[in-house]
């Protein structure tokens, strides 16, 4: 560690930087429930078009101008499309949250108080000297 000539921030400068600029953390996103995502997916233009087609088919089948099972087919398509889309979005968001949790556990080499220290990435503040080496995350 003698080959590096950086003192880095001292403890008072770290506190001052954290007070001025805040923590090195992402704001947690608002997590939507499965039901909220489902309602959002029902607003999709394609789903709206299918619902209009469903209504027209049901009206026509009521007057005997279309078969009733055509309406059921459209209804099943609407339900399947919204459920698959909602489930996929919900699982993707859960995976993203897990990746963020793992990323917050990454250790970094930082010069502080005249020495090289390993800190969590969330503990880094504006003004820190971070040592990046090949293979670092």
């Amino acid at each position: 560690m003698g080959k590096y000539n950086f003192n880095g921030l001292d403890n008072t400068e770290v506190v001052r930087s954290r007070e001025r600029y805040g923590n090195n953390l992402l704001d947690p996103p608002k997590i939507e429930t499965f039901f909220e995502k489902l309602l959002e997916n029902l607003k999709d233009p394609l789903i709206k078009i299918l619902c209009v087609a469903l209504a027209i088919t049901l009206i026509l089948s009521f007057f005997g101008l279309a078969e009733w099972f055509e309406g059921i087919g459209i209804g099943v398509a609407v339900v399947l499309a919204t459920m698959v889309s909602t489930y996929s979005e919900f699982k993707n968001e859960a995976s993203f949250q897990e990746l963020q949790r793992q990323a917050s556990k990454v250790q970094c080499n930082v010069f502080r108080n005249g020495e090289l220290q390993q800190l969590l990435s969330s503990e880094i503040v504006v003004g820190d000297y971070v040592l990046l080496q090949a293979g670092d995350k």
Side-chain angles (χ1 to χ4, degrees), residues 9 11 13 17-18 20-21 27 39 43 45 63-64 70 72-73 100 110 114 121 136:
L9 301 176
N11 290 335
E13 291 171 319
S17 179
R18 192 168 283 131
R20 182 171 181 192
Y21 299 107
D27 292 333
L39 290 177
K43 296 176 185 175
F63 292 113
E70 292 174 355
I72 290 179
Q100 278 190 320
V110 179
S121 61
D136 283 352

Side-chain angles (χ1 to χ4, degrees), residues 2-49:
K3 65 182 179 178
Y4 305 109
N5 192 16
F6 298 105
N7 289 329
L9 301 176
D10 61 27
N11 290 335
T12 57
E13 291 171 319
V14 169
V15 170
R16 202 173 318 128
S17 179
R18 192 168 283 131
E19 287 172 353
R20 182 171 181 192
Y21 299 107
N23 291 326
N24 188 28
L25 295 171
L26 294 173
D27 292 333
K30 179 190 176 290
I31 298 174
E32 291 181 303
T33 64
F34 186 84
F35 185 70
E36 288 171 331
K37 286 189 181 302
L38 180 65
L39 290 177
E40 186 68 30
N41 284 332
L42 287 173
K43 296 176 185 175
D44 184 86
L46 184 61
I47 298 300
K48 288 181 179 180
I49 291 170

Side-chain angles (χ1 to χ4, degrees), residues 36-124:
E36 288 171 331
K37 286 189 181 302
L38 180 65
L39 290 177
E40 186 68 30
N41 284 332
L42 287 173
K43 296 176 185 175
D44 184 86
L46 184 61
I47 298 300
K48 288 181 179 180
I49 291 170
L50 285 173
C51 287
V52 169
L54 173 62
I56 292 170
T57 303
L58 289 177
I59 291 170
L60 291 175
S61 68
F62 180 74
F63 292 113
L65 300 173
E67 297 295 331
W68 62 270
F69 54 83
E70 292 174 355
I72 290 179
I74 294 172
V76 168
V78 168
V79 170
L80 282 175
T82 54
M83 293 302 282
V84 167
S85 176
T86 303
Y87 179 75
S88 175
E89 286 180 25
F90 192 74
K91 293 302 278 183
N92 287 342
E93 188 170 313
S95 298
F96 179 71
Q97 293 297 326
E98 180 59 29
L99 284 174
Q100 278 190 320
R101 275 192 290 281
Q102 290 175 359
S104 68
K105 296 177 185 176
V106 172
Q107 298 257 332
C108 300
N109 294 316
V110 179
F111 291 99
R112 288 246 180 110
N113 298 313
E115 59 185 42
L116 187 61
Q117 301 177 8
Q118 278 204 337
L119 301 174
L120 292 173
S121 61
S122 60
E123 296 174 4
I124 295 174

